[in-house]
């Protein structure tokens, strides 16, 4: 049983960060019931793949535009600890399921809302996707190489780091606070806010004068030659991240460059020369040969693995970070708990909705 065993969550089906939040809460032991359109719920129950990250929790069909569907939703809300929704602002209110209504039904309810732009502001009701939310807060601008365009971060930064993780953090914080006050509250998790907060170190460095707005020229954005990826002789890559002097020295030793007359590590004028020399040397061996050279060495050099290769890495395999379930790669639970470990809720039959609702004191 995970640490959230006994916590009941009603999740209103959405896309992106909201279902991932439901997935994480389920992995951590929460009892999650998803409300979806009747046809979609029926298809999932019959074994059809649902939307991304929709597995692992019971699914119920409910037409929220009907009196019957809204009545079912309200019944679940009265019994839940958490309501999770990812619609645009105003949608739940128009359905008669907004915070005021639901908190009146259940004053202890934690009402978690995850959106791109947040519940207010000029863009609140505007459509967007991950790259839009990270484009206006400085995050997207900061990702990419010098002289090139910004690089969209595969929906990791806005949707899941800025959205899901802050929705889960807010939910857990509100549950803890409820133990003191006895009252629920609304959690407004906006991807634009969360991804901006993740930029805290960049904004601190910028205020100190050690980070510029010129992309690809700073010490963590591929500007520094000792914090970058390099192509090897086989066309694959290694990640070099030897920031600290002792790690940098180990990198030079491993590459055979220790005895050369090279610019100082932090001499920016010398960075182009260092980069050219590193690239030249790292192209002399394959990726896996370099990985073997640096195995067990504190040089912060690792092979860059494709998703199809990653499950076979010894460390990933030992921790179960990625697991194979009937030929399908599934990420393991995170974080880890020593007494009440969570579990992977994906890749298995959906929980029976009727049995789940019996535990909630309901009978369909």
């Amino acid at each position: 049983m995970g640490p959230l065993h006994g916590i009941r969550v009603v999740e209103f089906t959405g896309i992106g960060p909201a279902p991932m939040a439901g997935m994480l809460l389920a992995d951590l032991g929460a009892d999650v019931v998803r409300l979806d359109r009747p046809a979609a719920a029926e298809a999932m129950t019959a074994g059809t793949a649902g939307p991304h990250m929709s597995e692992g929790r019971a699914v119920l069909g409910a037409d929220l535009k009907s009196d019957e569907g809204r009545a079912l939703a309200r019944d679940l809300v009265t019994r839940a600890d958490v309501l999770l929704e990812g619609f645009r602002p105003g949608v739940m209110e128009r359905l008669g399921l907004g915070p005021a209504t639901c908190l009146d039904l259940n004053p202890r309810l934690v009402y978690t809302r995850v959106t791109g732009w947040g519940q207010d502001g000029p863009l609140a009701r505007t459509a967007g996707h991950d790259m839009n939310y990270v484009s206006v807060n400085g995050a997207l601008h900061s990702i990419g190489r010098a002289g090139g365009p910004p690089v969209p971060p595969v929906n990791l930064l806005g949707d899941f780091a800025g959205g899901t993780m802050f929705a889960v953090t807010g939910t857990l914080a509100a549950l803890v606070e409820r133990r003191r006050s006895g009252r629920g509250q609304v959690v407004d998790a906006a991807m634009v806010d969360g991804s901006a907060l993740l930029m805290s170190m960049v904004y601190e460095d910028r205020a100190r004068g050690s980070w510029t707005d010129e992309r690809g020229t700073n010490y963590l954005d591929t500007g520094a030659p000792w914090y970058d990826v390099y192509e090897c002789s086989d066309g694959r890559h290694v990640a070099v991240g030897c920031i600290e002097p002792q790690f940098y020295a180990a990198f030079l030793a491993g590459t055979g460059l220790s005895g050369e007359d090279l610019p100082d590590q932090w001499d920016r004028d010398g960075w182009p020369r260092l980069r050219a020399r590193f690239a030249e040397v790292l192209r002399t061996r394959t990726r896996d040969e370099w990985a073997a050279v640096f195995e067990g060495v504190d040089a912060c050099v690792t092979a860059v693995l494709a998703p199809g290769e990653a499950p076979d890495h010894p460390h990933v395999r030992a921790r179960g970070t990625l697991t194979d379930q009937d030929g399908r790669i599934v990420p393991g639970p995170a974080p880890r708990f020593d007494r009440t470990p969570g579990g992977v809720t994906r890749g298995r039959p959906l929980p029976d909705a009727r049995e789940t609702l019996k535990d909630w004191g309901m009978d369909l």
Side-chain angles (χ1 to χ4, degrees):
M1 295 183 183
L4 294 184
H5 175 70
I7 296 295
R8 295 173 176 173
V9 180
V10 56
E11 173 193 345
F12 289 80
T13 296
I15 61 174
M20 187 176 189
M23 181 190 83
L24 293 181
L25 294 172
D27 281 359
L28 294 175
D31 194 1
V32 184
V33 174
R34 282 169 51 88
L35 281 183
D36 206 336
R37 297 182 307 278
E42 184 178 351
M44 282 191 67
T45 302
T48 301
H52 292 113
M53 298 164 293
S54 61
E55 299 174 89
R57 49 256 200 224
V59 59
L60 284 176
D63 178 4
L64 297 179
K65 295 182 180 179
S66 71
D67 291 340
E68 182 182 4
R70 288 192 294 270
L72 173 60
R74 286 193 292 268
D75 199 358
L76 288 167
V77 164
T78 62
R79 303 163 192 268
D81 296 288
V82 177
L83 183 155
L84 174 64
E85 64 99 353
F87 301 132
R88 289 200 212 183
V91 171
M92 289 290 280
E93 285 83 352
R94 289 195 295 274
L95 291 170
L97 295 166
T101 299
C102 291
L103 285 166
D104 186 54
L105 291 170
N106 180 358
R108 292 176 53 83
L109 182 71
V110 173
Y111 195 114
T112 300
R113 322 189 79 173
V114 54
T115 59
W117 301 115
Q119 295 299 313
D120 53 38
L123 295 177
R125 297 175 185 269
T126 305
H129 283 295
D130 183 284
M131 72 165 66
N132 305 120
Y133 311 132
V134 302
S135 70
V136 301
N137 60 16
L140 181 58
H141 175 89
S142 303
I143 304 172
R145 294 188 175 277
V151 179
V154 203
N155 279 39
L156 297 178
L157 182 54
D159 278 1
F160 303 127
T164 294
M165 295 306 171
F166 284 92
V168 171
T169 300
T171 297
L172 299 181
L175 286 171
V176 170
E177 192 280 337
R178 189 182 70 174
R179 296 176 61 186
R180 177 181 60 80
S181 67
R183 299 172 58 198
Q185 60 184 304
V186 178
V187 177
D188 176 3
M191 296 173 234
V192 65
D193 299 342
S195 53
L197 189 56
L198 294 171
M199 288 281 289
S200 292
M201 190 173 79
V202 169
Y203 275 108
E204 285 184 17
D205 280 347
R206 192 173 180 276
R208 295 168 180 168
S210 56
W211 191 281
T212 75
D213 288 348
E214 186 178 352
R215 186 170 43 256
T217 64
N218 302 288
Y219 69 107
L220 293 179
D221 65 356
T222 73
W226 31 261
Y227 201 85
D228 206 345
V229 294
Y230 287 90
E231 185 176 357
C232 303
S233 63
D234 57 355
R236 295 188 286 185
H237 297 82
V238 289
V240 176
C242 48
I243 302 174
E244 292 80 2
Q246 67 272 28
F247 304 151
Y248 183 66
F251 169 72
L252 294 181
T255 53
L257 292 171
S258 293
E260 290 196 13
D261 182 20
L262 296 172
D264 181 77
Q265 179 185 0
W266 286 90
D267 176 9
R268 287 177 175 265
D269 291 337
W271 280 1
R273 182 181 162 200
L274 283 179
R275 182 180 301 282
R277 190 71 182 105
F278 293 170
E280 181 183 17
V281 171
L282 290 169
R283 283 198 197 98
T284 63
R285 301 190 188 187
T286 67
R287 180 198 68 181
D288 292 345
E289 287 173 338
W290 282 120
V293 166
F294 288 105
E295 184 176 0
V297 177
D298 281 347
C300 303
V301 178
T302 51
V304 177
L305 302 182
E309 301 174 288
D312 293 324
H313 187 278
H315 188 83
V316 172
R317 185 171 59 246
R319 284 186 59 82
T321 302
L322 295 167
T323 62
D324 188 318
Q325 293 191 353
D326 298 324
R328 171 186 171 188
I329 302 303
V330 177
R336 309 292 175 88
F337 299 85
D338 69 338
R339 287 193 303 102
T340 57
V344 177
T345 57
R346 276 109 35 228
R348 61 183 65 171
L350 293 178
D352 184 273
R354 291 183 181 274
E355 291 300 317
T356 299
L357 291 187
K358 283 183 181 179
D359 294 335
W360 287 43
M362 297 173 61
D363 188 10
L364 284 183

